[in-house]
Amino acid sequence: MKLTLREQTYHIRKRVPRRYQRVEEREFIWLSLHTDSESHAKQRAPIIWQEMIEAWEAKLAGQTDDGDKRLAMAKELAARRGFRFMFAPAVARLPDEEFAKRMESVVTAKGNIDLPEADAVLGLVDKPAMTITRALQRFWVIASAKTIGKSNDQIRRWENPRKKAVAAYIKAVGNQELQDVTTADLVAFKTVLTKRIQAGEITASSANKDLIHLISTIRDVARAEDIALKFNAEKLMFKQDGDNTRPPFSADWIRDKILAPGALDGLNLEARCILLGMINTGYRPSEGAMLTAAHIHLDGKVPFIQIEAVGRTLKTKHSRRVIPLAGVSLEAFRQCPNGFPRYADKAGMSDTINKFLRENGLLQSDRHSLYSLRHSFEDRMLSVGVDERIRRDLMGHALQRMGYGDWAAMDHLLAVVESVAL
């Protein structure tokens, strides 16, 4: 690449490649390397030329009819020219000096207006339509603070319900622009959900979650983008009869069915240990799956596990706790003292265990699941009159914490767990 010294500054002069002649009226182009050092100029020349190529590519891409892509390319081109992208009304409100700089930058050497430059620097690109699908993508940015501290699997489980709700709405009503969504559209969506409830495909609780996630996504994005909405979402929710929480397994069912000799032999070791560990600790399945060797203490006077926010967030601020180990749970952790790398921050653990329990007749009813073991642990503590503060403490619901550095307290907690252990 030939260098030319002009007025004590090195430049390169190159012919404009044929590919970019649609967006560049000059046949040859001079690019300043902003240095009077030949060695520095040789280092910078290929970088400056590549930046020019990328700017031309951005102009070419900006010719597309895809609104999102045109906007992205306009933002990139504005940045390359040293300007922050702003839409035209905001550009018009700039101080005269800055507005003049932007205007001067879009005028070519021949006195013509460089249209791609003008779109980028003067904000003449149309704002892409805020459709339902685009709103979901925008929502991830708006709500990104909610993912701080979450593990990859927690983020996946946070995103999936909204993806499900949006997909269901689009299938039922269409991919509308937010300002066009009406109350009638939401009622039409509810009608589709009603038919699915009647067909036994979903529950009223699941349908309500779809409505809640859809409407909150639309509202949050509309607020951020200053979009006026037309719909009224009052009285859209389905009535839910009864208690939708998972019922607890009875102690007899756990003892006679789940813990029967050979009943869990078909389950892989880590899944089996997570299940058995849950019986006498009541931890949430995700809490158990994330335990590591650093949080499993088997050698001291009181064996215990620590529930900590390591690589993930906990469900509540009260979830951080220690739980003494006893009975089948203690034996399970002796088999898996290093935790559960197969399932740590990965999807599928609960599905694997629930499928096994269902296919092997180990669920006490259709409403039972792995999570029922947590409720069973709490129910067993209730049945023997364990103090409410201690119950909440062990379950991760406590409002106040005991001093876990005090071994007498740990001894007492162990005695509580042993009194209900299977």
Side-chain angles (χ1 to χ4, degrees):
M1 193 174 293
K2 185 177 179 181
L3 304 180
T4 301
L5 188 63
R6 302 175 66 186
E7 298 179 354
Q8 304 304 311
T9 301
Y10 279 98
H11 292 69
I12 53 174
R13 179 178 183 269
K14 287 180 69 71
R15 183 185 295 274
V16 175
R18 182 177 299 176
R19 170 178 171 79
Y20 306 117
Q21 289 175 357
R22 285 183 295 157
V23 293
E24 177 57 71
E25 65 181 21
R26 293 168 289 182
E27 181 179 0
F28 289 90
I29 186 169
W30 286 89
L31 295 175
S32 173
L33 300 177
H34 307 290
T35 181
D36 59 0
S37 166
E38 184 175 5
S39 62
H40 288 169
K42 287 179 179 179
Q43 293 174 356
R44 301 187 67 177
I47 298 172
I48 297 294
W49 179 245
Q50 182 59 34
E51 289 178 349
M52 191 69 240
I53 294 291
E54 291 173 359
W56 283 326
E57 287 290 344
K59 288 184 180 181
L60 285 177
Q63 294 180 346
T64 179
D65 290 332
D66 186 320
D68 285 324
K69 189 176 291 185
R70 287 195 67 203
L71 177 59
M73 292 304 104
K75 289 180 177 180
E76 181 181 339
L77 189 56
R80 291 185 181 283
R81 295 296 175 260
F83 297 104
R84 181 169 67 90
F85 178 84
M86 305 167 70
F87 285 105
V91 174
R93 293 193 293 269
L94 289 172
D96 291 346
E97 183 178 351
E98 185 173 346
F99 181 80
K101 286 181 180 178
R102 290 184 179 238
M103 288 295 298
E104 291 169 4
S105 73
V106 305
V107 179
T108 69
K110 295 182 179 180
N112 300 320
I113 299 294
D114 186 317
L115 295 181
E117 296 274 355
D119 284 347
V121 175
L122 301 180
L124 301 178
V125 178
D126 291 332
K127 212 171 194 177
M130 186 58 75
T131 60
I132 298 289
T133 52
R134 186 163 180 266
L136 182 61
Q137 297 308 310
R138 180 74 177 115
F139 176 82
W140 305 138
V141 178
I142 294 170
S144 60
K146 294 181 180 180
T147 67
I148 295 173
K150 289 187 183 294
S151 68
N152 290 334
D153 187 54
Q154 286 181 313
I155 292 173
R156 177 191 64 80
R157 286 187 280 116
W158 174 72
E159 290 180 347
N160 281 351
R162 290 184 187 273
K163 291 179 180 178
K164 172 178 171 286
V166 165
Y169 181 83
I170 291 172
K171 183 178 180 181
V173 182
N175 189 23
Q176 301 165 289
E177 294 186 34
L178 299 196
Q179 66 267 24
D180 295 334
V181 177
T182 64
T183 305
D185 293 322
L186 294 178
V187 171
F189 181 42
K190 182 177 180 179
T191 300
V192 172
L193 293 175
T194 301
K195 291 178 180 178
R196 294 188 65 196
I197 294 172
Q198 292 170 339
E201 296 176 9
I202 59 174
T203 64
S205 174
S206 176
N208 280 339
K209 288 177 182 177
D210 280 352
L211 287 166
I212 291 168
H213 285 122
L214 173 75
I215 292 168
S216 65
T217 298
I218 291 174
R219 282 177 169 165
D220 286 356
V221 173
R223 186 182 303 111
E225 298 292 328
D226 198 23
I227 297 172
L229 298 175
K230 300 176 182 176
F231 63 78
N232 183 337
E234 291 183 11
K235 299 182 180 180
L236 275 176
M237 296 298 111
F238 291 92
K239 182 179 179 181
Q240 295 178 224
D241 296 324
D243 184 1
N244 288 307
T245 59
R246 296 289 184 183
F249 286 112
S250 69
D252 286 344
W253 184 273
I254 296 173
R255 186 183 300 109
D256 298 339
K257 297 291 186 178
I258 296 176
L259 297 181
L264 300 178
D265 285 354
L267 200 56
N268 72 76
L269 177 63
E270 288 189 22
R272 185 165 67 248
C273 287
I274 289 172
L275 183 156
L276 293 171
M278 192 173 175
I279 290 175
N280 297 324
T281 64
Y283 55 53
R284 299 175 180 91
S286 60
E287 292 175 339
M290 290 298 288
L291 291 169
T292 67
H295 306 107
I296 300 169
H297 305 272
L298 302 175
D299 298 330
K301 178 182 177 183
V302 177
F304 67 97
I305 56 173
Q306 292 175 271
I307 307 297
E308 300 281 355
V310 178
R312 63 194 295 272
T313 58
L314 295 176
K315 185 170 184 179
T316 72
K317 66 180 180 180
H318 307 302
S319 296
R320 181 176 178 270
R321 63 199 188 280
V322 301
I323 310 173
L325 295 172
V328 295
S329 296
L330 175 57
E331 294 305 314
F333 278 102
R334 284 175 174 158
Q335 292 182 67
C336 295
N338 295 316
F340 313 101
R342 178 171 181 168
Y343 293 112
D345 198 32
K346 297 182 181 70
M349 178 268 293
S350 290
D351 288 343
T352 295
I353 297 177
N354 282 321
K355 180 181 179 182
F356 178 86
L357 295 175
R358 184 170 55 252
E359 291 179 349
N360 289 274
L362 298 177
L363 293 178
Q364 198 166 349
S365 76
D366 290 341
R367 293 183 59 210
H368 284 75
S369 73
L370 172 64
Y371 209 88
S372 297
L373 290 174
R374 175 169 165 81
H375 299 311
S376 175
F377 178 64
E378 185 171 26
D379 259 25
R380 299 200 307 276
M381 288 193 290
L382 273 167
S383 69
V384 298
V386 174
D387 179 79
E388 181 183 7
R389 188 185 70 171
I390 294 178
R391 288 201 318 271
R392 289 177 174 272
D393 212 46
L394 289 169
M395 296 296 293
H397 293 157
L399 299 179
Q400 295 181 351
R401 285 281 168 252
M402 296 172 65
Y404 287 124
D406 183 348
W407 282 108
M410 285 294 287
D411 285 344
H412 181 60
L413 286 179
L414 177 60
V416 168
V417 172
E418 287 179 333
S419 72
V420 299
L422 300 174

